[in-house]
Amino acid sequence: MSNPMKGALRCLPAAVTAAGPIPPAAENLSYSMLLPGGAYCAGLAREAVRGLLTRHGLAVLCETAALAASELVAAAYRFTPDREMALRVRWQYDALRIVVYDQHPLHRRPDAAEQCRDRRSRSMWLLAAAVEEHGGDWGLAPALTPDGGTKSWALLHF
Ligand SMILES: [Zn+2]
């Protein structure tokens, strides 16, 4: 007689049942979320980042990280209002990486792209000040998709 549960039991990963669930820690902090793109998303990103860092034992980075996320999302909103954007929060190589991908349209003329990048860089003075005060870094780069898009990021050390 066949056992109807046999297949299901085989599907259970042995490591999880043996060691128990993996608790949140810096090492497994890795989240991605899509934001609808409204101005309110800056506040939402701030709260999400605070919650994630607290849960993963990185509360010491909360204030700077929340400000960084908020500034990245706010800049994405200013330059591409009401378009969906992606927020990634990840701990990797002993640093917190906050990355925002937006859908800013591609500039066909290189000088226009350069001016846009300059304007955006200058608008991020608060992010620059906060991140640099903590020995971190930030930047902007084209997202390299067919439709354009900008990748903006902040990196914070523990
Ligand atoms: Zn532009």
Side-chain angles (χ1 to χ4, degrees):
M1 205 172 101
S2 72
N3 180 351
M5 288 297 288
K6 209 172 170 190
L9 286 174
R10 243 199 314 267
C11 285
L12 290 175
V16 170
T17 49
I22 299 167
E27 291 69 36
N28 61 12
L29 172 66
S30 178
Y31 293 85
S32 296
M33 64 186 88
L34 290 176
L35 305 175
Y40 63 90
C41 287
L44 220 149
R46 225 170 14 244
E47 288 166 24
V49 164
R50 272 204 194 100
L52 295 176
L53 294 192
T54 303
R55 190 59 78 86
H56 282 263
L58 294 165
V60 68
L61 290 176
C62 261
E63 288 316 304
T64 310
L67 183 134
S70 170
E71 287 296 301
L72 291 171
V73 169
Y77 171 75
R78 275 195 307 273
F79 281 76
T80 318
D82 301 318
R83 296 289 296 274
E84 191 173 72
M85 60 181 88
L87 171 67
R88 289 196 65 193
V89 183
R90 185 174 194 192
W91 179 262
Q92 192 181 28
Y93 307 121
D94 292 327
L96 181 71
R97 288 145 208 277
I98 303 171
V99 185
V100 170
Y101 295 91
D102 68 28
Q103 299 185 55
H104 192 61
L106 195 66
H107 290 281
R108 298 287 165 198
R109 289 189 5 248
D111 60 323
E114 189 61 33
Q115 280 173 10
C116 182
R117 197 185 130 78
D118 278 359
R119 236 188 345 262
R120 186 144 159 171
S121 287
R122 279 198 308 273
S123 81
M124 291 163 89
W125 60 272
L126 183 57
L127 170 79
V131 165
E132 282 161 18
E133 192 182 305
H134 289 85
D137 201 5
W138 68 283
L140 285 172
L144 301 178
T145 71
D147 299 323
T150 301
K151 172 188 179 182
S152 54
W153 52 270
L155 187 144
L156 296 171
H157 297 285
F158 196 45

